[in-house]
Amino acid sequence: MNNAVKPPEKIDPRDIRRKLGLNQQEFWSKIGVTQSGGSRYESGRKIPKPVWQLLRLVHVEGIDIQKLKREDWEVVEYLKAEEPELFKKYKRSAKGKKPA
């Protein structure tokens, strides 16, 4: 089940969290941020770029970072570089479209 939300024009972590129906602990712990740290971010403290990227990946793109493995990423990068047509075919298939 994909619990991601559509990316807004301006990313507001509080809005994303509320749209997902998560409390601060549930939302922020998925990206390794404490509830108190997340609360400060939601109150206006500047969010570091790596935290923004994790927030986007997990809560906007719906990627379960607990399942990511380096070798999986290496396979994707290899296919993109060495077998671009095969990569495109698999990408279309993964999105539920029939390959051309």
Side-chain angles (χ1 to χ4, degrees):
M1 183 166 96
N2 186 342
N3 289 331
V5 295
K6 185 175 175 132
E9 292 295 320
K10 180 181 179 232
I11 295 177
D12 179 347
R14 180 179 286 140
D15 287 345
I16 294 171
R17 180 177 60 77
R18 289 179 175 165
K19 286 177 184 174
L20 292 171
L22 300 174
N23 64 37
Q24 286 182 336
Q25 174 66 33
E26 295 165 330
F27 182 84
W28 291 104
S29 68
K30 287 186 178 187
I31 60 171
V33 174
T34 64
Q35 180 276 324
S36 60
S39 177
R40 286 190 292 273
Y41 292 148
E42 289 185 19
S43 296
R45 178 173 277 182
K46 185 176 178 183
I47 300 175
K49 188 172 182 175
V51 175
W52 270 122
Q53 293 303 323
L54 285 170
L55 190 150
R56 183 185 61 77
L57 286 171
V58 172
H59 295 300
V60 176
E61 299 293 335
I63 295 172
D64 183 352
I65 59 175
Q66 299 297 318
K67 294 180 180 177
L68 290 177
K69 294 184 176 157
R70 177 179 293 278
E71 64 258 17
D72 295 336
W73 186 255
E74 289 169 350
V75 169
V76 170
E77 291 300 310
Y78 172 81
L79 281 173
K80 285 166 99 176
E82 302 296 326
E83 301 285 345
E85 292 305 313
L86 187 57
F87 174 77
K88 289 176 188 175
K89 176 183 173 183
Y90 287 140
K91 187 175 177 180
R92 283 191 300 267
S93 294
K95 289 185 175 184
K97 297 178 182 175
K98 292 183 180 180

